[in-house]
Amino acid sequence: MINIENVTKVYQNGFEALKNVNLKIEKNGIYILKGVSGSGKSTLLNLLAGFDKPTTGKIELLGEFISKLPEHHMSKFRLQNIGFIFQSFNLFSELSIYENLQIPLIPLNLNTKLEKELIETLIHKYNLSDKQHQITKKLSGGEQQRVAIMRALINNPKIILADEPTANLDFNNKMIFLEMIDSFKKDKIIFISTHDDIFNDIVDVKIFNINGGIIC
Amino acid sequence: MINFAFKLLLNEKKKNIPLTFIFIIIVFLISSLIILTNSLNKITQLQLENQPDITIFNQKAGRNYPILTDIKDEISNIYGIKNIHERVYGFYKPNFHNLDMLIIGFEPFGINVDKNIEKIVTDVNLSSFLEKPSMIISHGLYEIFLQYSTFGYIDSFNFFLEDSTKFKLHINGIIDKNLDIVSDRLVLTNIEYAKKILGYHDSEATDISIDVSNIDEIDTIILKLKDKFPNFLIIKKSDLKDSFKELYSFKSGLLFAISLLLLSTFLLLTIFKSTSMDIKSIKEIAILKAIGWSINDILKLKLTEASIIAIFSFLTGFLSAILYLKYLHGAFLIDIFTNSININSNIKIQIFLDKFTFFSLFFLFVFSFILINIIIAYKSATTNIKEILN
């Protein structure tokens, strides 16, 4: 389902962030990419999300070679198949939880009833029903993280990518995050880039270590 | 999409409200100027339409002198002439209110070649003109007289003649505000009294006006007139129209320069607003891309946002301009036109709005605003998002 073959990424300044990376993921579950700052984990995540293209090599997601996809096809692919969770959440801070969850659905032009059903089911599942019309900048860090996860899940993508998702959370909220991802690991590939050791304790987690642009 | 665009705009109130306000002001000013120019030009052209086909002046060295009315007999011998009239008009300056009265003589019981005067005197009780020397005055002049009512100017006015004697004209009627386009300092009186006040002899007039039977023969008739009266200035209606057009094109040129200045300000502000797209807006675009919005979706959103601002501002500015011209009669702006030509400064402006003007202004403002915003949004939407989001 994810196949990375001989991927190299060299930035314009000549820095080689990834060196001939090969990685294959064939079943759903949680996958951790661990490495120190500057090791190349964010670069790899950006390539998987299609935010950037590799200098050489191929990236195949769900049978689609995304490294070759033109921008407009990549957007569609991303909308249908990839959910992204950011370290700093990247929510629309002046909009409510409900409105933030509407955003990924807008390009799909769903009918209002279906849209409402999808959003309310998710909000209810993650216990934020009482705050659904509250603007997100007034939520706690943990709650904002939950909204970010819900936004990544709203289109029911097959792949969830998360970049340092626990970096801004306290211990309790980290545990809530782990519970959340554990609840949907059977249906999705969850690929997390992190240097947080908290993921070491989860069972059934595959950990890749990256260092100097090479996966060990 | 529209709901989302509205929400984003409302979230950026501090940025969008001043921009919308400036947009409205500039549309209002330019629309007012252009509609006013068009309307006054149209009104003047309509007024000139009522003028005689040919006018003859006794002009020497660029100055007008009284013309002898006995040439009418000679003119009447020219084939194709429908009617001939002598006209008497001119300015009278009393020693108060820095006033210039426009005195126009008319035939109370004759045919007046000037259709505007015909319209004005239709509703006046002309028989009273026989009882005592009388006049019909414009509404603007009547209001000035009211200010000087302590001097007895409420129902009559004393004119000083050439020999310093007084000549009293009673106010017989006040011209309807809607009709007094010629001047709001207008006095209409019997042609005999007009001659007296303006210092003409009985056999003299300001000009001789002629209507022709067949409009296609005007040029031939003018040639004959020039042959008979080589020293007179002979003007046809179309020349008069052209000279007013020239005057308006000068005024319009001035307004065009002002409009251009305002428009440049508008474009600069729009470009400035768009190019100074703050990090928050750029980040918003990057988040949208990251969660799966295509560049087209983002451009649709930005198009919707820009259209909401542009259409709302344009319609508000444009309608404000119409209301301003309709109910405030273009106060202040109209002075640009009326200070140098003798057009009533209290006239009710009839708004002549053609589709071309409306759509030109619409495209000028709305289209340029949207276009600039889309170009800038496209630039942001095609930028690599990974640096912005990390």
Side-chain angles (χ1 to χ4, degrees):
Chain A
M1 294 162 97
I2 295 180
N3 188 18
I4 301 170
E5 278 181 39
N6 305 320
V7 165
T8 301
K9 178 67 187 178
V10 184
Y11 287 109
Q12 279 183 330
N13 60 8
F15 176 69
E16 197 174 8
L18 294 177
K19 294 168 187 169
N20 202 33
V21 170
N22 286 282
L23 191 106
K24 202 165 191 174
I25 296 171
E26 288 179 318
K27 56 178 186 178
N28 293 335
I30 301 171
Y31 299 86
I32 307 296
L33 185 65
K34 286 195 78 174
V36 292
S37 208
S39 59
K41 55 185 191 305
S42 290
T43 302
L44 184 59
L45 212 64
N46 285 330
L47 294 179
L48 285 173
F51 296 161
D52 210 352
K53 301 275 182 212
T55 312
T56 58
K58 286 191 289 188
I59 300 174
E60 186 187 353
L61 297 185
L62 308 169
E64 192 81 57
F65 286 97
I66 64 156
S67 46
K68 305 281 181 200
L69 275 183
E71 177 57 39
H72 58 285
H73 287 301
M74 187 62 226
S75 303
K76 197 176 174 188
F77 182 82
R78 200 185 293 134
L79 184 68
Q80 291 169 345
N81 300 298
I82 301 173
F84 204 101
I85 302 165
F86 300 92
Q87 179 183 339
S88 51
F89 319 133
N90 282 330
L91 298 171
F92 282 76
S93 58
E94 303 284 343
L95 300 184
S96 68
I97 295 176
Y98 191 96
E99 288 161 345
N100 264 283
L101 298 183
Q102 271 183 313
I103 298 169
L105 302 175
I106 292 171
L108 299 174
N109 286 322
L110 301 178
N111 69 56
T112 318
K113 197 181 164 192
L114 179 61
E115 183 183 280
K116 196 169 180 242
E117 202 178 300
L118 280 173
I119 295 169
E120 285 181 349
T121 308
L122 212 55
I123 289 177
H124 180 72
K125 186 175 177 183
Y126 293 107
N127 301 320
L128 282 170
S129 297
D130 55 333
K131 292 185 175 179
Q132 63 174 311
H133 296 300
Q134 196 167 320
I135 60 168
T136 53
K137 75 173 177 190
K138 290 191 176 168
L139 300 173
S140 68
E143 288 168 332
Q144 288 188 35
Q145 177 67 293
R146 269 191 273 169
V147 179
I149 296 167
M150 286 192 285
R151 187 180 63 185
L153 291 173
I154 192 84
N155 285 343
N156 194 23
K158 291 276 180 287
I159 299 168
I160 298 289
L161 303 174
D163 189 11
E164 301 282 3
T166 53
N168 291 330
L169 300 179
D170 58 22
F171 181 76
N172 286 340
N173 279 312
K174 281 180 185 180
M175 296 316 289
I176 293 169
F177 175 76
L178 292 181
E179 273 175 37
M180 281 180 84
I181 58 165
D182 197 55
S183 69
F184 53 80
K185 71 179 182 188
K186 282 180 190 166
D187 305 324
K188 301 179 195 304
I189 293 173
I190 303 155
F191 197 86
I192 300 168
S193 124
T194 184
H195 60 265
D196 197 332
D197 290 333
I198 200 162
F199 294 97
N200 297 347
D201 303 330
I202 312 173
V203 285
D204 297 337
V205 166
K206 171 90 177 158
I207 299 176
F208 302 101
N209 286 300
I210 186 165
N211 194 6
I214 300 166
I215 290 187
C216 332
Chain B
M1 186 71 88
I2 295 173
N3 277 344
F4 184 47
F6 260 115
K7 279 169 195 163
L8 290 183
L9 287 174
L10 289 172
N11 286 342
E12 292 293 327
K13 280 189 215 94
K14 280 183 189 169
K15 192 175 74 181
N16 292 321
I17 289 176
L19 176 80
T20 307
F21 184 71
I22 293 168
F23 198 150
I24 290 171
I25 294 287
I26 293 176
V27 171
F28 167 76
L29 284 172
I30 295 185
S31 302
S32 302
L33 286 170
I34 291 175
I35 297 169
L36 187 64
T37 315
N38 285 352
S39 298
L40 285 177
N41 197 6
K42 192 90 183 253
I43 290 168
T44 310
Q45 291 301 319
L46 284 175
Q47 289 293 321
L48 290 173
E49 204 56 54
N50 291 332
Q51 291 300 309
D53 295 332
I54 302 169
T55 313
I56 306 175
F57 296 94
N58 180 16
Q59 199 177 66
K60 286 172 193 163
R63 289 184 64 189
N64 282 349
Y65 292 89
I67 191 163
L68 292 172
T69 53
D70 54 12
I71 65 163
K72 285 198 289 184
D73 297 334
E74 262 185 274
I75 294 169
S76 61
N77 293 330
I78 298 173
Y79 182 78
I81 285 180
K82 196 163 100 186
N83 54 51
I84 311 163
H85 288 274
E86 59 180 82
R87 298 197 303 183
V88 175
Y89 54 88
F91 286 100
Y92 176 85
K93 198 170 174 63
N95 290 328
F96 69 98
H97 205 85
N98 194 24
L99 189 63
D100 266 326
M101 294 181 190
L102 176 62
I103 314 282
I104 297 182
F106 75 101
E107 301 272 6
F109 300 100
I111 297 164
N112 285 286
V113 72
D114 190 323
K115 278 90 179 173
N116 296 324
I117 292 172
E118 279 292 323
K119 275 185 217 163
I120 293 168
V121 298
T122 307
D123 300 327
V124 175
N125 177 14
L126 293 174
S127 59
S128 59
F129 269 74
L130 294 175
E131 294 165 13
K132 54 191 174 187
S134 302
M135 62 180 171
I136 306 164
I137 61 172
S138 59
H139 200 271
L141 192 57
Y142 178 67
E143 281 175 359
I144 294 168
F145 281 0
L146 281 181
Q147 291 173 34
Y148 293 88
S149 54
T150 47
F151 298 103
Y153 296 145
I154 195 85
D155 56 4
S156 65
F157 184 80
N158 285 324
F159 291 89
F160 283 92
L161 304 183
E162 265 187 326
D163 57 5
S164 299
T165 56
K166 284 181 187 174
F167 178 63
K168 184 183 272 189
L169 283 183
H170 294 271
I171 300 171
N172 191 298
I174 295 151
I175 301 165
D176 186 336
K177 260 185 183 176
N178 295 323
L179 288 174
D180 55 353
I181 177 67
V182 180
S183 167
D184 72 337
R185 309 285 186 262
L186 182 65
V187 172
L188 279 180
T189 186
N190 190 315
I191 197 161
E192 282 173 44
Y193 307 142
K195 282 183 183 180
K196 219 171 194 178
I197 294 165
L198 296 171
Y200 286 90
H201 297 294
D202 288 345
S203 59
E204 289 176 341
T206 311
D207 62 37
I208 302 290
S209 63
I210 299 167
D211 276 337
V212 299
S213 307
N214 181 357
I215 206 117
D216 296 331
E217 288 177 358
I218 283 184
D219 289 333
T220 318
I221 292 169
I222 285 177
L223 279 176
K224 287 178 184 171
L225 285 167
K226 280 185 175 170
D227 190 45
K228 271 183 187 287
F229 312 107
N231 296 323
F232 287 169
L233 175 69
I234 300 164
I235 297 175
K236 57 179 171 176
K237 189 169 25 183
S238 57
D239 291 338
L240 208 59
K241 280 184 179 177
D242 289 345
S243 66
F244 266 90
K245 263 186 191 161
E246 273 173 32
L247 181 65
Y248 270 104
S249 51
F250 166 72
K251 292 280 183 184
S252 302
L254 187 72
L255 290 179
F256 181 69
I258 297 170
S259 303
L260 212 61
L261 197 72
L262 287 168
L263 193 67
S264 313
T265 314
F266 163 74
L267 290 175
L268 280 173
L269 275 169
T270 307
I271 292 166
F272 176 73
K273 179 257 169 192
S274 308
T275 49
S276 67
M277 192 180 261
D278 54 302
I279 188 69
K280 196 179 168 191
S281 306
I282 295 169
K283 198 171 177 181
E284 276 175 6
I285 290 178
I287 295 170
L288 291 174
K289 267 187 89 176
I291 60 178
W293 282 46
S294 65
I295 292 172
N296 275 349
D297 294 327
I298 292 166
L299 292 183
K300 268 186 214 164
L301 174 73
K302 291 294 155 189
L303 175 77
T304 312
E305 276 184 32
S307 301
I308 291 169
I309 293 182
I311 293 172
F312 170 77
S313 307
F314 177 78
L315 291 179
T316 309
F318 193 79
L319 287 174
S320 306
I322 302 268
L323 294 176
Y324 161 72
L325 295 174
K326 193 172 167 73
Y327 295 107
L328 296 176
H329 313 302
F332 306 114
L333 273 187
I334 199 166
D335 292 340
I336 296 173
F337 293 91
T338 54
N339 278 350
S340 67
I341 55 172
N342 185 36
I343 284 185
N344 179 351
S345 57
N346 287 336
I347 54 169
K348 276 186 180 172
I349 298 164
Q350 289 169 269
I351 299 171
F352 290 97
L353 184 62
D354 54 294
K355 281 179 194 166
F356 178 77
T357 309
F358 178 81
F359 286 110
S360 304
L361 288 169
F362 183 84
F363 280 109
L364 190 69
F365 285 104
V366 176
F367 188 71
S368 59
F369 183 82
I370 291 174
L371 191 69
I372 291 167
N373 274 276
I374 291 297
I375 291 169
I376 305 298
Y378 181 78
K379 211 176 123 194
S380 299
T382 49
T383 307
N384 197 324
I385 58 173
K386 67 181 193 297
E387 283 88 9
I388 303 163
L389 293 175
N390 287 335

